[in-house]
Every structure is written in C-alpha cells, then in structure tokens.
Amino acid sequence: MGLKTELVILGAGPAGYEAAIHAAQCGMQVVLIEKDQVGGTCLNRGCIPTKSLLYQAHQLRIAAQYAKIEIDGEALRLQKEDTVGKLQKGIAQLIKGNSIQFLHGEAKITGPQTVSVNDEIIEAEHILIATGSRTSVPPIPGIELAMTSDQVLQWDRPLPQQAVIIGAGVIGLEFADLLLDLGVGVTLLEAAPRPLIQADREIAQNLQMILKRRGAQLHCGITITQIHENAVDYVEKEKPMRAEGEWIIAATGRKPVLCDCAPALAQERGRLITDACGRTSVPTIYAAGDVTSRIQLAHLASAQAINAVDTMLGRTPQFDLNCVPSCLYTHPEAAWVGLSEEEAQAQGLSVIVGKTTTLSNSKSMIEQAPRGFVKLIADAVTRQLVGGVIAGAHASDWIGTVAQAVSQHLTIDDCQRVIMAHPTWSEALHEALMDFDQHAIHTLYKRTK
C-alpha cells in the first residue's frame, strides 16, 4: 500500500518549498518532491547567484577607483557558492523543522490524486505542480555555440576581453552590468526596438544612457543571422554587421518545465493554464510559478503557490496577483509595479503623473549615486495610484512601498500624509507624490501671478 497524504508538491523551488511550509503551518500533511536541489532556478541558477556576482563585481569596481585590483574569478565563484549553499541549508532546515516529508526523485502524476516517485505511489487529496522553468534559446543558426545563463553562472572559465550578449531584457542587462564592472567590453544585441521592452520607456532610456556612458555598445531592432564561436552576424537597418567576443551569451529567457502527467492538463504555448486560484483543468491538480506564468518571478511564484494552498483549505487567497513588482539589479537598479503610463492610457484612464529626480536627494548625494528618478502614475478622476517606476540605487528595496499603495488602492492624498525618514531614498517617493499637485519641496515650479 502506498503513502497517503493531503498534499503532494512537485518541485522545491520558491513556489514549491514556500507552499509546503505554508501548508504545514496550516496543519496539512505534505510531501515535497524535488529531482535536483532545493531552491529551484532562483537559488541555484538565477536570482541569487546572479545578484551575488553583481554585488561582488560592483564592490571591485568601487575599490578599483582607489587601488589596482586583480580580478580573482575563483574567489567570486566560491563566494557565490557559499551564499547559495547557506541558503540551501536554511531551506532544508525549514522543510525538516515543519515536518514536511521530503523525497528526492523525479515524480510523475499518474492520476487526479496519485503521484509516482522512486517506484512508490503516493495518494493525495491535492497535487501542486511547481516544476519551474529552464533556459530557452531561439532557433538561430549556430545557437549551440552560445552560452546560456546557466553556463554563465557556473563561472568556471576565464573572463573574456569582449562579450556579445543576445537579448537586452532583465537577464541580458544584468549580465552586461556584471561584465562591465569586471572590465569586460560588452555588445548587446536586441531584436526589440529598445532594451527592457516590458518596462516603462523612461527606464529603458535611462539605462541606455548609462550603459553607453560605461562603454557598452547597444544595438536594437536587429536580426541575428548566424552565431559563430567568437562572433555574431546580424542585420541592422538592412546592413550586415558583426559583433565579436570570446563569450557569446544567449540571454533570451526561459520556458516552463512540464512534468509527466497522465491526466491531460490544458496548456497554452507550453505553459499550464490555471484559474485565479491556481487550479488546472483537473480540479484536484494545481500549478504555480514559472510553469504557469508569462511573468517568471520568484516572488510571484511563491504568492501563486501560497494562494493555491489557501484555496485548497477553503480560505480566501492572501496575495493580490494583479500587483507584482519587477526589479532590475543593475547599477543603478530599476523597479516598477502596476500600470505604466502607456498601459494606463491604453486602458482608457485619464492619467496624471508625479515625478522627481534623485539629484536633490540627500542619500543619493551621500552615496554618490548615478542620477535616478521616481515616477508615479495615478487615475486623474479618483486620484488612486495605479503604478510606479523607480530608477536609482536600492530601487528594489523601496518599490514595495509603491506596490502596497497600488495594491490597497490608496490615493495620492492617502500617501501624501505619510512622513518619510530623513535622510533616506524613500524621501524621493514623497517628492513624487507632492509633485502631482506641484508642491514638491525640492522642485522649483514656475508660478503665475
């Protein structure tokens, strides 16, 4: 007779392990299955190793202003792996401490309420698929010669003098920032008309200016025709071009990893279709994270998974999945949430904007940070905040304040009443809020008599 439980989760990435802990905290019996390592893409091949390398490289660049620095690639790799290892151990302790049964193996869903793993059948009231994603590359001749993000993050080869990065989205821009800080020449090739096409246009313009100032070459609206071992051929404005580099990096996104599932589940373009609570087309089977999402973010994956568990328990899901912050960890950072100005207008809203730069911000001056800005978008009729954009140092740390305001449907007036500490970056949020009414203290307005 096989094992019986209330919930089986496939995948121990952010969606899977956080759903397991939440379910266990709520009294559910949970079996968590992982074929690789706990932490999923985010911890092992994505967010954490990337940010570890970005932080170290930036510190080296700052130190290099005062003394000659020798780049030690092995030291960078060891620090990255130490960070990942500590977080893995922490997750493992949480799984054990919450009495979650952890099984290592590749699982198959054999029925609406049965899972097979390591020749054992598990019966469960609910199944949650959280199998994540893997790197995706476009069908370009020679693409097999390019490095994927997974290969870059292994960090097991000598640094190049030149690198060509295919794709100027979040992954491509973060790799460009990392390599530029380490003294590598970078060429970015992007098929879209501008970098970071999914974000506010002003973020892209700001980043484009900073990247060029740092020596990067950026070519948008191009078509790649052939990838060679140390070069990429492309067409720009109908003119054949070539970019050369010892590293050719394909930063072209990720695609869902679908598990073997006997009940056929509804799909769309390779991802599982779910309702707002995470249910698939089979009511006892749920899915969350990259395997379902057009937006592949660890924090969204966790929120989706916890909402799914709440639904299984008959509770009201706790997270607002319509308000998801996105972050770019370049130097300076960028972050955005809710509707952009263009999206709000496309939805028929009458839009008003409050905006400020960080040039007069005391914390910005103290840290000698590059120029940044805050832009808040509101409905002109209700004065409710519908979106926000931050470009500047530590943007990822204070976008949550904007996300909370947008999610709670707060108005400009609600938010204007909040006192921000001084000196802090968040003071720029208050300046942008006051700018809606031309009352920002550190902005000089033209007054009419």
Side-chain angles (χ1 to χ4, degrees), residues 44-119:
N44 298 290
R45 296 173 299 280
C47 317
I48 303 304
T50 304
K51 279 53 177 178
S52 172
L53 291 170
L54 279 165
Y55 175 78
Q56 293 181 77
H58 191 59
Q59 295 307 303
L60 286 172
R61 183 166 76 88
I62 292 171
Q65 296 174 1
Y66 306 100
K68 188 173 182 181
I69 300 294
E70 193 77 29
I71 303 297
D72 186 346
E74 180 64 8
L76 295 178
R77 184 185 67 81
L78 290 173
Q79 179 60 47
K80 166 187 71 80
E81 292 184 357
D82 181 63
T83 301
V84 170
K86 286 176 181 176
L87 289 169
Q88 285 176 339
K89 288 178 183 177
I91 293 169
Q93 289 171 353
L94 287 168
I95 291 169
K96 184 178 180 181
N98 282 282
S99 301
I100 296 162
Q101 185 167 353
F102 181 81
L103 299 177
H104 192 270
E106 186 161 2
K108 299 178 181 179
I109 299 174
T110 54
Q113 293 180 296
T114 56
V115 173
S116 171
V117 60
N118 303 331
D119 299 322

Side-chain angles (χ1 to χ4, degrees), residues 219-250:
H219 301 272
C220 295
I222 60 92
T223 301
I224 296 174
T225 54
Q226 179 74 47
I227 298 173
H228 306 278
E229 190 171 351
N230 296 118
V232 177
D233 293 335
Y234 62 99
V235 176
E236 183 176 19
K237 296 178 181 177
E238 302 183 356
K239 183 179 179 182
M241 306 285 284
R242 170 170 286 196
E244 297 183 345
E246 300 95 299
W247 284 15
I248 310 297
I249 301 171

Side-chain angles (χ1 to χ4, degrees), residues 407-425:
S407 179
Q408 296 299 310
H409 309 293
L410 299 183
T411 66
I412 297 167
D413 309 276
D414 293 329
C415 297
Q416 284 177 340
R417 284 192 283 269
V418 178
I419 299 172
M420 301 292 181
H422 174 77
T424 62
W425 284 95

Side-chain angles (χ1 to χ4, degrees), residues 7-56:
L7 172 61
V8 173
I9 301 174
L10 280 63
Y17 88 78
E18 293 199 29
I21 292 170
H22 179 59
Q25 289 172 339
C26 295
M28 294 182 80
Q29 292 179 316
V30 184
V31 175
L32 177 62
I33 304 170
E34 173 57 56
K35 68 177 182 180
D36 193 1
Q37 296 174 302
V38 296
T41 293
C42 175
L43 177 52
N44 298 290
R45 296 173 299 280
C47 317
I48 303 304
T50 304
K51 279 53 177 178
S52 172
L53 291 170
L54 279 165
Y55 175 78
Q56 293 181 77

Side-chain angles (χ1 to χ4, degrees), residues 332-333 367 369-370 372 390-396 398 425:
E333 293 182 352
E367 296 185 12
I390 303 172
H394 313 293
S396 62
W398 40 305
W425 284 95

Side-chain angles (χ1 to χ4, degrees), residues 194-205 336 339-342 373 375 377 389:
R194 62 179 172 88
L196 209 64
I197 194 69
Q198 70 271 42
D200 186 276
R201 185 180 297 275
E202 287 190 61
I203 291 181
Q205 291 170 344
W336 57 97
L339 299 176
S340 68
E341 191 175 353
E342 294 167 343
F373 68 90
K375 181 166 78 170
I377 299 99
V389 175

